[in-house]
């Protein structure tokens, strides 16, 4: 592993891919955003329903949850449709649990009241980093849905405690790099997803050796890349928010 | 039922919605098209695989099949994700069988050889007529995939016998109308889907009384609307084909 | 395709198979009928339950629905039991939706009140045309169930607006023919199912090219065959009704 | 529990219901029989396939297996269709395993060679004792299928070692009784199914206290009833065999 | 089949394996017992819930039910995890129904009131006779749970009408033998499970010819072995009961 | 969150629970270990099969995978059996993927050759930290299975590159603590699982804010606790290895 090898995309080690977030792609959802990170495109929609799951009823708390899916040909090779297979894969369930936890971590669930917001993240085109894109775009969809509730006077203010965004990092032949695309991700020795807030706090870290275990120093390098990388994501989110 | 009432959209009785077909939306699929008919948007991708289902093996015939899905919030009210529910609905299965039959009807399966092409039709936004849009857009995705096989010298020519497109018609308060949107579809006394070829032949007719049964004359009126309406769809398909 | 070839069964082009409808085969159902169309035998039972599905509750409307099944060895080759496979096929779901729509089209759902009638159609022996036989026989089972409700003074009159029956037609080597058996159905270029009322109205048309698309004239020939063919079915239904 | 109370049906304690076995009900199966025991009617079909399950391959042994089903309205109250529910109940699986074991116990699996015969037992009308009727009728369907293989010179002789039939007995208010109908079965303190051969041997006994445990003497009384009762079933089977 | 051959384990024909029942293995369950019969080990837990299934509501009766499972590597060859396969096998369902019936047969369901007790029987190591061990151990777990309800003054007394235990017998090369281990069970001509009470009554008998049918005399020999064999099980149960 | 509050268990902030690892609990598995960490008990078995999954065939590489399950009453409240529910939960799938990745990270898959080892981890009693216990105990079961292959001369040496063990840490009212039990886990603001090797490298980190996001300093404190805490686990593993 060394810095003499360049990244397949030619990007600098600490360079994000081009990010864009287009709100309002969905015609019906209370909030929506189509996020692109390089060749990865995820459509995020937020649906508001005036109820909460049974385990929360009567507690004055709201619920934010997420579902994740991938169109069969979002990938290089067509994947079997999960609806046809009759069940969601472990990977899908793991990802949607992560997205839900990440969004709840910056939501004031008492302030939102007994509502449920379901954020659906569907990958239209995949080129690595889909779960991170889903979190970053999902937050924008969620904000739009909350803003609509404020405009409709259902809520006095958007009950979000801050921004949350996510980025992947990994150890590759080129060294520690930020925002892996599919080619890098497939060959990485280790990869990590960092879910961070705009105030510098950690919501979730998932770091995993795909090949050999890695050292504390390598982990610290990934952490630093992520901490620096997310600022561009917070800016892109901000730019996509509803203007008052 | 009478002509004094105008359509909710203000369209003429025999007017299609605005149609557009954008090829190449998918980054990975051999062929793809994003079709819009008014507020209905369907992403169609065509995947080529060098094999055929067991019942066709060794016969020198290819296979064209389709799958259909709808994003959970493509509709006014969020629908449960079929992958989460663990099975596809009867409606989904019925629609994807229709799309597959329609595309096979204009494919020269002997000329294509022992390949399978799977056309995935995923509804991003729904406003009525999704199955018709899927057939019309699916044909373009299929043509693009075949064209790529021709460019790659896998096939000597595109093995399509002509164009196929589909449109819905229905009996509403405004009378017999072409290309129902969701509001009209929900309230129609009867609706019919016509799958037709550019040479004027019939691939499939599905006409169904939602309320009272209808007369032969009413059915003839629907048939005439469809026969006239599809020409614009054939033009839109043509415009979206690969230029040589 | 030409008239010089005779039908495998030796029947005239416009000849139905022998039809018989035996009511009361089921010991427990509120209404039942065993219909035979040539070698096709379908047991239809109608079950009355004093409730309606959630989406209808409190509207004063009843519900008529249908389920369809086939015994594993109703066919030439044993089919896997759907209960063992763990799900109903798309074909099964498509057929039972058609039967339900057809029966609802002639039912006065307001007059029947908040009851549900489930018509189960189980194919004991199959030789083509099972969905059409199920509709024709299902209507008799439904009438018997309603008649029992009238005898028991639950309803003042049978809430049926007329008779509904169905027949298949197809384009074969022998030309356009009525009431296809399995051998004809397997080889037909196109086939169509017509669901018609005794007053000459259309409830449903499903016409489908299995091979090459067909012309308007061919479709009209099929439609005429069906229109003439159903009268014998209405007579057979009438003969099987409860005598007062 | 005492003999002063008579049976709901008025039958003597040791009286079977009227039994009839009609072979050939199925148009396509290699063997079939419609068995009636009073109000219980089971259609049994035997399907021959030239293969064996993986665990038997290459051993020169055949396989006989069974599947069991009940039409939704075979019973007083409509039961949910197992195919719709997505799985077979424990009761269904338990019954079909019993039928399969019973038929295998009298089959010379070496003499039949590497064939599989699947006996489908579908209950058209249920009034108690459906599993016993399925075994008794299933044996006739199996014999017919084997006879057809002999006629077609696939086998030199019918590879059956004897007859097998089954009957239920139970402890009721009327005392120990033979061949319970539904009313008796629902209220019995204990019931037992005896699967016996025409040579007086035991294939299977299943005796079960529904209420209080029962004594050895009571069990012996049930066993005696069964031993005497099955002779009429063997005669009915014999009468339904193919005549040479 | 003759007595000249000795048993694989060297045991006498009428000898049980070493039995031990260790209560309290589970940290959380209201009652639990780890039963060992030779190399078979089953963990039984009893869970109390203050509700009854819908069909019992409001009748003043309790419910005792059982579930059965086997760890994937409880056996010589690893079995697929039923949770991964997505359904329980027919064997599993059959066994858990048997355990539930057996325990209910000695429970005073009126005296226990509207509670449900679920007895989970999970096989940690299997060497034949798992269902019998589950019944014998399950009764101890059930008694412990009831005793806890008595200690907590929810019930005035343990609502059990006696003890129930089960043992297998079979016809092997060595003759009729008691308490088959896996090796014997695999090769037995017939096997039988006897579920008996401490007062000498029968709760359930399941006797099944795996090979040739067996005679009344052979069945009587098995029955005698079982009747004598269970006394040691009742003693082991007694020894494992809570001491007051 | 402050150090003035003591832990529910009275343990020091950096104290592990009592750990024990008992090898050989399973009678049939090639390797097994029953690990206890306080009130958490997990039975780990390793099964060797002479084959690899399709995607690895012919590459000379072995495979190590894991499955995870929990007995229904391993917890305070009985959980529904996943086999009965018909599918494994997202939590289960997530955990078993983690265990498999962790064990593969220290396995020399080329040295083990084309074998598959499946490590089943079944929780008998749960009191927090079950996934960590499964990894730590699973490594011992895996080592035993490899040792058996060495003894049987299938492999020249145990193909493990070192030890791997896991421990949880969390932010609680008492501050940053090591090895959370159930009570602490339920109330923690954040928890993290660290999977580490005996050479000080990282295999996997999963850190997650359950409530408010946490700081880099807090994360560092958790990391330090884990790094120190695992040494006792490595010692316990070592003590449980086969003695030569």
């Amino acid at each position: 592993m060394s810095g003499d090898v360049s990244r397949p995309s030619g990007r600098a080690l600490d360079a994000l891919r081009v990010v864009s977030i287009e709100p309002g792609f969905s015609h019906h959802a209370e909030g929506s955003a189509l996020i692109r990170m390089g060749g990865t495109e995820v459509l995020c929609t937020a649906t508001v329903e005036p109820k909460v799951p049974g385990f929360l009823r009567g507690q004055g708390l709201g619920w934010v949850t997420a579902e994740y899916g991938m169109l069969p040909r979002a990938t290089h090779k067509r994947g079997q449709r999960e609806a046809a297979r009759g069940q969601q894969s472990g990977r899908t369930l793991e990802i949607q649990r992560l997205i839900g936890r990440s969004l709840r971590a910056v939501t004031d669930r008492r302030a939102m009241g007994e509502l449920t917001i379901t954020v659906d993240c569907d990958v239209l085109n995949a080129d690595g980093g889909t779960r991170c894109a889903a979190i970053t775009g999902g937050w924008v969809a969620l904000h739009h849905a909350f803003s609509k509730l404020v405009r409709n006077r259902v809520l006095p203010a958007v009950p979000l405690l801050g921004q949350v965004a996510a980025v992947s990092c990994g150890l590759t032949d080129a060294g520690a790099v930020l925002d892996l695309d599919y080619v890098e991700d497939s060959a990485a020795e280790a990869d990590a997803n960092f879910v961070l807030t705009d105030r510098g706090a950690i919501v979730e870290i998932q770091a995993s050796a795909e090949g050999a275990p890695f050292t504390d120093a390598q982990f610290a390098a990934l952490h630093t890349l992520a901490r620096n990388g997310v600022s561009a994501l917070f800016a892109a989110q901000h730019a996509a928010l509803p203007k008052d």
Side-chain angles (χ1 to χ4, degrees), chain A residues 96 99 108 198 215 237 244:
Chain A
Q96 65 192 19
I99 302 169
D108 182 343
D198 59 337
T215 64
Q237 286 179 330
D244 312 292

Side-chain angles (χ1 to χ4, degrees), chain A residues 96-179:
Chain A
Q96 65 192 19
R97 284 156 55 91
L98 170 64
I99 302 169
R101 280 198 308 272
S102 298
L103 296 176
R104 283 194 297 276
V106 293
T107 302
D108 182 343
R109 286 169 51 215
R110 188 156 303 280
M112 76 185 276
E114 294 210 348
L115 299 172
T116 292
I117 300 193
T118 303
V119 177
D120 284 290
C121 301
D122 285 273
V123 180
L124 305 185
N125 281 297
D127 187 23
T130 61
R131 79 187 69 187
C132 291
I135 291 168
T136 306
W139 183 85
V140 174
L142 180 64
H143 195 296
H144 274 267
F146 277 135
S147 298
K148 184 168 183 185
L149 291 168
V150 171
R151 278 200 310 281
N152 293 347
R153 301 176 188 271
V154 175
L155 294 178
V158 168
L160 287 169
L161 306 167
Q163 291 175 250
V164 70
V167 72
S168 74
C169 304
L171 300 173
T172 70
D173 285 353
V177 300
L178 180 69
D179 190 18

